[in-house]
Amino acid sequence: MNGLRRAVTASILLAGLALSGCTSPAPVQPSRSGTLGSTGTSSSSSADAASTASAAPLQPLPAAIPAALQRYYTQQLSWGSCDSGYECATMKVPTDYAHLADGDISLSVVRHPAGGQGFPRLGSLLINPGGPGGSAVDYAEYAALSFPAPLRDSYDIVGVDPRGVARSSPVTCLSDQQMDAFTAVDSTPTTPAEVNALVSADKSFAQGCEQHSGMLLGHVSTIDSARDMDVLRALLGDPKLNYLGKSYGTFLGATYAGLFPSRVGRMVLDGAMDPSLTPQQLNSEQAGGFETAFDSFASDCVKHTACPLGSSTAQTGPRLDALVASLNAHPLPTGGSRQLDGALGTTGVIAALYDQTQWPQLRQALLQAEAGDGSGLLALSDQYYERSGSGHYSNLMYANSAVNCLDLPPAATTPQQVEQQLPAFEKASPRFGASLAWAGLSCAYWPVPATGEPNTIKAAGAAPIVVVGTTRDPATPYAWAQSLAAQLESGTLLTYNGDGHTAYARGSDCIDTAVNLYLIQGKPPAKGTVCQ
């Protein structure tokens, strides 16, 4: 199988990408997971505990703003109307916080003023959908229309595209035609020729990023973006940062809390990532998360008379394996110039696993594939990669790789190392383990060395932080939420016992009520709260 690695590249995806974390209703990016049983515990909990114990703690920055950075913290934003009811501005941040002479980066900001209908105005709520690579500007415009009304009436909803993303000095790597070829490369090679093709594709991707965005690649880390958020907090006039992050956005928010604990306001981290894990652990556990999500989909599918994967759960996995093998041997027509091969077919399945409301669409797409039509799975794959109908890709995957490969070292540096890891990955996920194992090679050829490492984040002295975890989350497993909540000195875990990637504003009245009560009144949920 393949395709999955393209969305996860370094192991975080797009926690997505995870498109679901990126845009609540659809799948997007990140990237970490653990296989969960019915009890809501993770099979990887012991290994994660050992990793947490060995990871270095993230150290906070000095509370006082350095004099050299004052000009960034005191710049004036020029807000202008945009997109029917929104306000837009551009802010400047240093390319390199350690070397201000290297110049500035421009970041795009959007704001939707609070409605103020019967609720006191509480300042700004900065939001991030995940990725890395998801557009927070797009997400803020979505949230300003779809988030629960009490929240929109209380806060200005604010989004800033992180450096390297969308409208903020975006990383670029490949042409659309090159990206079409890249997404179709087999990422579960079984022959030397297939291994060489995969390695060549990863090298070409990295070389394209260096050619088009080389000067930026060393300055798009999560720590850089967290520091940018503190600049924006000051420019918005907020003494503390109120924040809602999903998927990878939880890693960004937790990093902010670790660096600036005294400036944390009300913070919700939904679909949490565990910053203490190694890249190999992240990939392996995310594979387990997708396996768990597939099992949940399969259990639902066989309840329908037209389930394309069989009439019992024992049939579903082998049927999917057979379909992917068939697609690799004989790609299907899709009604256009592209065919559906195993890579794109697997990505289409993965895309739908982010959001249980897409399970009917996945069943239909699988039925179509069974009948010789690959268009349904290709449409899901295109949604995952943010490929438009005209064939244009957003920079989601380029930014995803750039951030992930800077934040952590590669999970593997040679094909031989991947082959050694394969048995453990395939044990964690018979369906998707091999894809995630080979994904670990993606950053091995990156032109810029990683600057980050696994860290525990304590954020000592921070205000209460609510961590939301979904028990059968495919991309950010529940075990990660448990771990992050335990690491944070002021962390409180809020559990959603259900399916899908992230929980807030996705249909659970219980989750929405608990989060709204915290964000609006400052009351965290009671310890041990579980929503069904």
Side-chain angles (χ1 to χ4, degrees):
M1 296 184 171
N2 43 38
L4 183 56
R5 63 183 294 276
R6 302 307 174 190
V8 184
T9 58
S11 78
I12 293 180
L13 208 142
L14 283 192
L17 247 184
L19 285 177
S20 250
C22 236
T23 54
S24 259
V28 164
Q29 277 69 267
S31 307
R32 317 182 171 207
S33 56
T35 304
L36 298 171
S38 60
T39 61
T41 58
S42 170
S43 63
S44 59
S45 58
S46 297
D48 290 357
S51 175
T52 299
S54 63
L58 180 65
Q59 298 299 324
L61 291 172
I65 298 170
L69 295 178
Q70 285 291 342
R71 64 187 177 97
Y72 297 101
Y73 277 81
T74 58
Q75 65 186 291
Q76 297 297 311
L77 294 182
S78 178
W79 295 98
S81 61
C82 62
D83 298 340
S84 301
Y86 300 91
E87 299 172 347
C88 293
T90 299
M91 61 181 283
K92 297 287 188 180
V93 292
T95 300
D96 187 340
Y97 278 91
H99 301 92
L100 301 186
D102 288 353
D104 299 336
I105 292 177
S106 295
L107 305 182
S108 179
V109 186
V110 70
R111 175 172 67 182
H112 188 275
Q117 301 298 316
F119 292 87
R121 299 186 66 161
L122 299 175
S124 305
L125 179 68
L126 186 64
I127 65 175
N128 183 278
S135 170
V137 169
D138 290 346
Y139 192 55
E141 294 187 357
Y142 162 81
L145 298 175
S146 63
F147 271 16
L151 193 72
R152 293 182 280 121
D153 285 333
S154 301
Y155 285 100
D156 294 343
I157 304 297
V158 179
V160 56
D161 281 346
R163 51 177 64 202
V165 174
R167 302 164 183 82
S168 295
S169 305
V171 172
T172 59
C173 300
L174 303 179
S175 69
D176 292 333
Q177 292 75 19
Q178 289 171 326
M179 191 63 181
D180 276 345
F182 180 76
T183 59
V185 173
D186 186 350
S187 60
T188 56
T190 56
T191 68
E194 290 172 347
V195 170
N196 289 339
L198 184 149
V199 169
S200 177
D202 282 338
K203 288 182 176 179
S204 295
F205 186 97
Q207 290 165 0
C209 297
E210 182 178 28
Q211 178 183 351
H212 296 290
S213 300
M215 297 297 292
L216 184 62
L217 294 184
H219 306 289
V220 293
S221 72
T222 297
I223 285 181
D224 287 324
S225 291
R227 299 189 69 171
D228 296 343
M229 291 201 310
D230 195 56
V231 175
L232 179 56
R233 171 202 58 77
L235 301 182
L236 294 170
D238 295 323
K240 295 181 181 291
L241 179 76
N242 300 311
Y243 179 81
L244 170 62
K246 294 198 168 196
S247 195
Y248 161 81
T250 67
F251 180 46
L252 179 58
T255 299
Y256 179 92
L259 296 176
F260 306 103
S262 66
R263 296 204 274 273
V264 171
R266 298 171 185 176
M267 179 173 284
V268 176
L269 307 177
D270 181 12
M273 292 176 57
D274 182 353
S276 72
L277 299 182
T278 67
Q280 183 178 344
Q281 287 173 315
L282 293 175
N283 284 358
S284 176
E285 293 181 22
Q286 187 175 55
F290 284 119
E291 193 75 21
T292 296
F294 174 76
D295 289 345
S296 192
F297 162 74
S299 295
D300 177 78
C301 185
V302 297
K303 297 176 184 177
H304 298 266
T305 55
C307 176
L309 297 179
S311 57
S312 71
T313 54
Q315 296 175 317
T316 55
R319 289 274 187 97
L320 180 63
D321 294 344
L323 172 63
V324 173
S326 175
L327 291 174
N328 281 328
H330 305 288
L332 292 179
T334 63
S337 60
R338 293 184 298 156
Q339 293 182 314
L340 181 80
D341 63 3
L344 295 169
T346 300
T347 302
V349 172
I350 289 297
L353 294 181
Y354 276 93
D355 185 351
Q356 67 272 31
T357 65
Q358 290 194 302
W359 289 357
Q361 184 180 351
L362 177 56
R363 287 198 308 271
Q364 181 61 32
L366 290 170
L367 282 171
Q368 289 177 317
E370 191 177 57
D373 177 4
S375 61
L377 285 174
L378 184 63
L380 286 168
S381 177
D382 286 350
Q383 169 189 298
Y384 190 85
Y385 288 120
E386 291 195 357
R387 183 188 190 273
S388 71
S390 65
H392 177 65
Y393 289 84
S394 76
N395 95 309
L396 173 67
M397 292 301 169
Y398 310 142
N400 179 259
S401 294
V403 176
N404 284 339
C405 292
L406 199 57
D407 277 351
L408 290 172
T413 57
T414 66
Q416 293 73 26
Q417 190 175 3
V418 175
E419 289 167 350
Q420 292 171 356
Q421 297 171 357
L422 273 173
F425 274 76
E426 292 175 332
K427 181 179 180 181
S429 173
R431 309 281 86 75
F432 312 112
S435 288
L436 268 294
W438 286 103
L441 199 60
S442 300
C443 291
Y445 313 107
W446 201 247
V448 178
T451 57
E453 62 179 356
N455 290 121
T456 56
I457 299 179
K458 185 176 182 180
I465 298 172
V466 174
V467 179
V468 185
T470 298
T471 56
R472 294 183 295 279
D473 190 310
T476 54
Y478 182 62
W480 292 354
Q482 291 175 304
S483 179
L484 180 59
Q487 290 173 45
L488 293 167
E489 182 180 79
S490 60
T492 296
L493 179 63
L494 173 62
T495 298
Y496 174 57
N497 183 18
D499 297 291
H501 183 42
T502 75
Y504 180 68
R506 296 191 65 246
S508 169
D509 289 339
C510 175
I511 290 291
D512 290 356
T513 297
V515 170
N516 290 343
L517 187 64
Y518 165 67
L519 287 175
I520 296 171
Q521 299 184 20
K523 299 178 181 179
K527 183 178 180 180
T529 298
V530 177
C531 293
Q532 302 296 330

